[in-house]
Amino acid sequence: MKNRNLHVMTMLLLVTIIFSSCNTKKNMAYLRDLGNQMTEQGAPAPPEEVRLRPNDNLFVSVKTINPEINALFTSATTESSSGPRYESQAGQHVYGYQIDVDGNITLPIIGKVRVAGLTLSQAQAAVQKQADEYLNEASIQVKLLNYKISVMGEVKSPGVYYNYNNAMTILEAIGMAGGITEYASLVNVSVIRKTDAGTKAFRIDLTKKSALRSEAFYIYPNDAIYIDPQSLKNTRLNSGMYALFLSSVSTLIVILKYLE
């Protein structure tokens, strides 16, 4: 009778481990309450335009009909902002135009242009206006080079990633990091954001459609995203050891029963 009870306890423990391993899928589905063919009104809300700050690094392309003038802007006109020269921080530092502490960038011929506090479209207009005073038929393009984000925790490729579009969602950011691991919990995803008022932390549940209305759904430059592991991660990681231990116990029980 004692041996039988021990067998039953062993089987119950094994079943518990198996169900613990499978019980985590509900935390791995994005927006699972959105439903089929459902429209979520007013979501996601459009992101605020990024405002430039001192130390931001800009890609500035200045093109004219004069090849000699264009040669002065070689670093900006030979490649796009996502070209090889700009893929590393060193390349961005050398070939980009950094906003100084006074909020200006300094361009050949055009001189200093104040851009801090402006959106990218406003900064482009400011550069265009000043370029028109010195250059004929100049075409201006301005992009932000240091739009980088950090994605950490339970993703397949944690690291720092660069965005060359004006907007990015948290789902796109996680996708850039290879997606989530099998141990990820989407219920409590953290987004850390630096603001003028200080560092702000958001908690967002990516399993629910309410995430579409979160301030953290759109990601901003220098945001850090952290995806928590599921509470059962350690159990799942150790399940093989538990199974081996229980198998050994069962074998020992059979041997002892045979020796009786």
Side-chain angles (χ1 to χ4, degrees):
M1 185 68 179
K2 183 177 180 181
N3 289 337
R4 183 178 178 182
N5 289 338
L6 190 53
H7 273 298
V8 171
M9 291 177 62
T10 301
M11 292 304 299
L12 287 174
L13 187 53
L14 280 172
V15 170
T16 300
I17 292 173
I18 292 171
F19 275 96
S20 296
S21 300
C22 301
N23 193 35
T24 58
K25 291 183 179 179
K26 66 180 181 180
N27 292 332
M28 296 179 65
Y30 294 100
L31 311 176
R32 55 190 172 92
D33 62 343
L34 190 57
N36 295 327
Q37 300 180 341
M38 181 183 292
T39 300
E40 185 70 6
Q41 297 293 333
E48 295 181 6
E49 287 194 75
V50 173
R51 298 261 172 192
L52 300 176
R53 302 177 181 182
N55 296 319
D56 276 345
N57 211 2
L58 302 180
F59 166 86
V60 181
S61 171
V62 181
K63 296 181 181 179
T64 71
I65 59 175
N66 189 332
E68 294 180 356
I69 297 296
N70 291 343
L72 297 174
F73 297 92
T74 301
S75 63
T77 57
T78 54
E79 297 186 74
S80 69
S81 61
S82 57
R85 286 185 175 183
Y86 299 94
E87 289 180 350
S88 68
Q89 286 184 301
Q92 292 173 12
H93 179 74
V94 172
Y95 298 110
Y97 293 96
Q98 190 169 33
I99 302 176
D100 63 26
V101 292
D102 296 319
N104 303 310
I105 54 173
T106 302
L107 302 170
I109 300 179
I110 298 173
K112 287 188 176 182
V113 183
R114 182 167 182 80
V115 294
L118 304 180
T119 65
L120 284 172
S121 57
Q122 291 171 341
Q124 182 168 304
V127 175
Q128 182 73 63
K129 181 179 179 180
Q130 195 154 324
D132 290 341
E133 297 180 10
Y134 300 95
L135 305 172
N136 292 323
E137 301 181 28
S139 176
I140 308 298
Q141 185 181 39
V142 176
K143 292 186 178 182
L144 182 63
L145 285 173
N146 59 296
Y147 193 146
K148 66 179 186 294
I149 58 170
S150 301
V151 188
M152 302 169 289
E154 294 299 330
V155 289
K156 293 178 182 178
S157 300
V160 176
Y161 293 90
Y162 286 86
N163 175 41
Y164 296 105
N165 297 315
N166 291 335
M168 169 185 277
T169 69
I170 190 171
L171 300 180
E172 291 172 320
I174 294 172
M176 291 178 72
I180 59 175
T181 71
E182 60 181 320
Y183 302 119
S185 172
L186 297 176
V187 175
N188 250 337
V189 177
S190 301
V191 178
I192 310 300
R193 178 172 299 163
K194 294 180 180 178
T195 68
D196 293 334
T199 301
K200 192 172 183 179
F202 301 89
R203 286 282 189 174
I204 180 171
D205 184 349
L206 290 179
T207 68
K208 295 184 178 180
K209 62 184 179 182
S210 58
L212 297 172
R213 295 188 295 273
S214 169
E215 290 183 64
F217 186 75
Y218 278 99
I219 300 302
Y220 289 84
N222 300 310
D223 277 2
I225 301 167
Y226 180 78
I227 299 182
D228 287 334
Q230 297 181 33
S231 58
L232 296 173
K233 178 178 179 179
N234 289 334
T235 301
R236 297 186 69 193
L237 289 175
N238 294 324
S239 60
M241 182 182 68
Y242 296 151
L244 179 62
F245 172 75
L246 291 173
S247 176
S248 300
V249 170
S250 298
T251 302
L252 180 60
I253 291 172
V254 171
I255 293 173
L256 290 175
K257 184 176 180 61
Y258 178 78
L259 294 176
E260 288 178 354

